[in-house]
Amino acid sequence: MSALVSTTERPQHEECEGQNGPFQYPSTVEALAIAQTGDINVIEKMTLPFPKVNPEDLVVKIEYIGVNFIDTYFRKGLYPLDHFPATIGEEAAGVIVTLPTDPEVLENPYYKRQQFKIGMSVAVTTMGTDETYVSIPWSRTFPTRGVSTKITAASITQIATAITFMSDAYAVSPGDTVFIHTIAGGLGLVFTQYAKHLGAKVIGTTSTKEKAELARRNGADEVILYKDENVVERVRTLTGGIGVDVVYDGVGKDTFEMDFQILKRKGTLVSVGNASGPVPPFSPLKLMAKNHKLVRPSVTNYVATAEEAWEIGGKVFNLITEGVLRVNIYKEYPFTTEGGRQAQIDLTNGKTMGKLVIRVSE
Ligand SMILES: NC(=O)c1ccc[n+]([C@@H]2O[C@H](COP(=O)([O-])OP(=O)(O)OC[C@H]3O[C@@H](n4cnc5c(N)ncnc54)[C@H](OP(=O)(O)O)[C@@H]3O)[C@@H](O)[C@H]2O)c1
């Protein structure tokens, strides 16, 4: 189903003189969007005005979209949106159709280093990526360096998250014991492979034997079936009663209390997400019992500048091309109302293993 929405919010661009020649913008884009927050039925494929193109922007024709749990937080209203209709999505990959026109940008040393060109494949990470065309500041755009747009859309956010959360949030070192909830999910499998690459021992939890097997194939040393086993007791046994160095927790509300029982003295809890709901307010005194540290980062704030985009983007694609990290794609969905809805249904019902993508065009 497609709905036409007023063009007042987003000025339409008819033509742009890009660095390598004129590009005739279409007047509209197709988008997976929401007119209000709510249940799964608020997701609609809509026809929206072509996005506003700022002088520092690249315009990218989208080929693949990566589906993330954060899409469900925005759709439900857990994370605020400042306008409607709002295109959903925060991760996609495609091909550059126009380059920035701002002379300052063209002289920026990081802009020059990225060697952006019309026709080059790039990843985009910004609010509202689930559209046929995205206009995005060049500093939030990453050349894919030969990696396909499908693999790129399936991996840029999660690999950038693993790199930054296992360095800035807590620096994983050889010999550390790392604990990962949702170990067979999209992020969990990337966390597992990257922690092994850094020399850590990996323990994680999941719900089924099939998921546990996939986590083991991706390097997990021990996988606990949290529905059948006592997680705290298993971790005590596996760590000789000491506990783990760091917990990566994407579940949130349901596992927060357990995290403090499995962390060792001076251990770090990296609160990653809210799959079961947000963690309720608590007193900082809670951290005093074993001198725990708590970090609640967002990958967007770790990869915020042109320099960080250059550095982290480069690392992401090197890890893929050098074969250090393998991207597990669970399923590809169509770019339709039903496809957008089904992807979020599948992600939130806990049945998926690895990453979900939506195919827009090729
Ligand atoms: N902070 C950041 O910048 C950042 C960046 C990327 C991702 N994240 C977070 O990382 C987490 C994982 O994201 P993802 O996209 O890779 O998702 P995912 O792990 O592929 O899917 C979520 C998994 O969570 C588990 N789960 C446990 N309790 C659940 C519940 N009550 N409802 C639904 N699922 C539940 C399920 O696995 P089991 O069957 O194993 O229980 C489910 O498959 C999310 O919390 C996300 O918000 C945060």
Side-chain angles (χ1 to χ4, degrees):
M1 194 189 331
S2 183
L4 188 64
V5 176
S6 143
T7 57
T8 50
E9 280 219 10
R10 304 198 307 179
Q12 136 186 353
H13 288 248
E14 284 168 1
E15 191 176 294
C16 167
E17 195 70 38
Q19 270 194 328
N20 298 352
F23 171 73
Q24 188 72 36
Y25 291 131
S27 57
T28 58
V29 292
E30 296 297 301
L32 294 176
I34 58 175
Q36 62 186 61
T37 57
D39 67 18
I40 200 73
N41 295 320
V42 297
I43 299 175
E44 294 270 1
K45 186 158 177 196
M46 299 184 191
T47 302
L48 298 177
F50 199 90
K52 182 173 186 317
V53 181
N54 296 309
E56 69 274 19
D57 285 1
L58 289 153
V59 175
V60 178
K61 184 173 190 290
I62 298 301
E63 294 184 348
Y64 277 94
I65 291 163
V67 181
N68 289 289
F69 229 92
I70 197 169
D71 306 345
T72 70
Y73 306 151
F74 281 112
R75 189 254 299 158
K76 288 178 185 167
L78 176 63
Y79 292 177
L81 287 164
D82 59 9
H83 68 273
F84 292 99
T87 301
I88 59 173
E90 285 216 329
E91 177 181 41
V95 170
I96 297 175
V97 294
T98 64
L99 296 165
T101 50
D102 179 346
E104 260 185 53
V105 168
L106 303 181
E107 286 309 311
N108 183 298
Y110 285 102
Y111 179 80
K112 286 183 179 173
R113 265 194 219 185
Q114 295 282 38
Q115 298 186 324
F116 292 118
K117 286 187 180 51
I118 289 176
M120 176 194 260
S121 293
V122 288
V124 294
T125 56
T126 187
M127 277 296 299
T129 52
D130 295 9
E131 295 194 341
T132 41
Y133 289 90
V134 169
S135 184
I136 178 171
W138 66 273
S139 58
R140 301 215 53 78
T141 310
F142 311 82
T144 64
R145 304 179 191 204
V147 175
S148 74
T149 49
K150 181 172 174 176
I151 294 294
T152 298
S155 58
I156 180 80
T157 299
Q158 291 177 342
I159 299 181
T161 304
I163 292 170
T164 54
F165 285 34
M166 293 190 165
S167 56
D168 291 60
Y170 172 86
V172 173
S173 307
D176 276 354
T177 303
V178 170
F179 186 96
I180 301 165
H181 291 289
T182 68
I183 196 163
L187 182 61
L189 294 173
V190 176
F191 266 159
T192 301
Q193 295 178 58
Y194 193 59
K196 290 308 294 176
H197 172 65
L198 297 174
K201 175 178 178 180
V202 174
I203 305 174
T205 54
T206 190
S207 56
T208 68
K209 286 183 180 160
E210 191 191 4
K211 286 186 168 194
E213 185 46 40
L214 179 65
R216 281 193 204 95
R217 284 206 301 277
N218 280 265
D221 297 286
E222 303 286 347
V223 184
I224 304 169
L225 296 176
Y226 66 85
K227 290 189 172 163
D228 308 331
E229 301 178 79
N230 182 318
V231 179
V232 176
E233 273 176 22
R234 276 292 310 280
V235 172
R236 282 203 185 116
T237 307
L238 291 168
T239 60
I242 292 171
V244 300
D245 293 281
V246 59
V247 172
Y248 289 94
D249 186 352
V251 177
K253 179 171 68 63
D254 289 355
T255 45
F256 185 67
E257 290 302 327
M258 177 207 295
D259 293 338
F260 294 95
Q261 297 175 50
I262 61 179
L263 272 175
K264 74 174 195 187
R265 186 177 64 87
K266 300 200 285 182
T268 300
L269 167 55
V270 184
S271 174
V272 178
N274 329 286
S276 67
V279 172
F282 66 95
S283 165
L285 284 175
K286 191 175 187 59
L287 305 176
M288 197 176 74
K290 289 199 269 177
N291 285 10
H292 287 146
K293 297 186 194 75
L294 171 66
V295 199
R296 203 329 180 171
S298 149
V299 65
T300 313
N301 285 326
Y302 281 138
V303 193
T305 66
E307 185 179 354
E308 287 162 346
W310 163 258
E311 195 188 316
I312 305 295
K315 283 185 186 167
V316 166
F317 293 107
N318 285 346
L319 287 165
I320 300 172
T321 53
E322 288 166 7
V324 176
L325 298 186
R326 189 157 44 90
V327 181
N328 293 273
I329 296 181
Y330 170 75
K331 195 168 166 186
E332 183 175 312
Y333 297 81
F335 185 58
T336 59
T337 297
E338 292 68 30
R341 289 180 183 174
Q342 197 59 48
Q344 287 203 10
I345 291 169
D346 291 351
L347 190 61
T348 49
N349 77 7
K351 297 277 188 292
T352 64
M353 298 188 280
K355 184 76 182 187
L356 287 57
V357 294
I358 295 174
R359 179 164 159 244
V360 181
S361 67
E362 260 179 304

